[in-house]
Amino acid sequence: MAPSLRRQQDHWLGNFTAMACDCQLLIRTEERAQAQRLLEAAVNRTAAIEAKYSRYRHDNLCHRINHSEGQPVAIDAETHRLLSFADTCYRLSDGLFDLTAGVLNQLWRFDGTGQVPAQQAIDAMLTRVGWDKVQWNPDWIILPEGMALDFGGIGKEYAVDCVAALMTQLAPQVRVLVNFGGDLALSGPAQPPWQVGITPSEKNRTLTRIPLSHGALATSGDTQRCLNHQGVRYSHLLNPKTGWATQGGPRQLTVAGATCLQAGLLSSLALLHGADAEAFIQAQGVRYWITP
């Protein structure tokens, strides 16, 4: 879908598609030309991130790393920062956050078939998982043969933060809400707050409204992708330590954070704790909203 811009109440609404989701910019300015410039800048920055880190492309850095057969691949400063963030997350989460866990999606299919992989297949695939097997420094990365990096767990949230920072740089006095598929961050003056709604579930049809004046929100859940097998509902979030899809957690969890990356990490880690998701997120001392 080509980017579009239209007036909506007291702001301009910019729409475009990227990273397999609908992306929106809500821009509080009277000037259409300024809103158009900000939208175009956001589209270009997002496209650059997707072009670089998408695992679905065959002409980018992610593809070169994943097909390097154990040989060093040169990286730039931006990639080193992302790898450093991933390394911190891996260590703080005791391995629950792992950039190499994407290969497990080769076994799990959230397509309505209701089938779970055999334990033997999971055990074999787990030999290809483990961030601690990866070597990297500011200049290069060495990924063992047979392994792969998947930036999907942080890519969208990273893009949201980058676009929000870009909006602040280009128009510090303009209030902008960046929303990529429900993950969002704000830029500009804090007041008045944006009114953000959390989509209700099948069980609870009440719309939750959140006044947000700064920071970010991120949402994780299985309302869109899940698997039902023998009466058990499995989330699409896969545990890199066991190889199994999680179960027993809430349908959706929204977390507030200083950045979208921070909020997204906490919401995903919480759901990976299954039935203990709320206990985990409660212990983090952040604002959160659960959709059962």
Side-chain angles (χ1 to χ4, degrees), residues 13-91:
L13 174 62
N15 283 288
F16 63 99
T17 301
M19 301 185 174
C21 72
D22 294 328
C23 302
Q24 292 185 336
L25 257 65
L26 280 63
I27 309 167
R28 279 190 175 149
T29 178
E30 296 300 322
E31 302 175 22
R32 181 186 181 95
Q34 184 180 46
Q36 186 68 46
R37 286 195 300 272
L38 293 177
L39 175 60
E40 290 174 1
V43 170
N44 292 337
R45 183 70 178 101
T46 305
I49 293 171
E50 184 172 21
K52 191 174 184 178
Y53 297 114
S54 171
R55 71 181 185 277
Y56 299 109
R57 296 178 63 114
H58 303 284
D59 59 351
N60 66 355
L61 175 63
C62 185
H63 185 269
R64 290 197 299 275
I65 293 172
N66 289 344
H67 294 80
S68 59
E69 299 181 343
Q71 297 302 306
V73 175
I75 60 174
D76 59 8
E78 179 183 37
T79 303
H80 181 254
R81 287 193 300 271
L82 269 180
L83 296 180
S84 297
F85 177 79
D87 181 69
T88 299
C89 295
Y90 175 80
R91 298 180 189 285

Side-chain angles (χ1 to χ4, degrees), residues 177 184 186 194-198 208-212 217:
L177 185 152
L184 57 91
L186 308 185
W194 294 97
Q195 298 297 320
V196 179
I198 297 179
T208 301
R209 296 183 182 274
I210 304 171
L212 195 66
L217 291 177

Side-chain angles (χ1 to χ4, degrees), residues 85-98 130-132:
F85 177 79
D87 181 69
T88 299
C89 295
Y90 175 80
R91 298 180 189 285
L92 291 179
S93 68
D94 191 29
L96 272 182
F97 179 90
D98 193 322
W131 175 251
D132 55 336

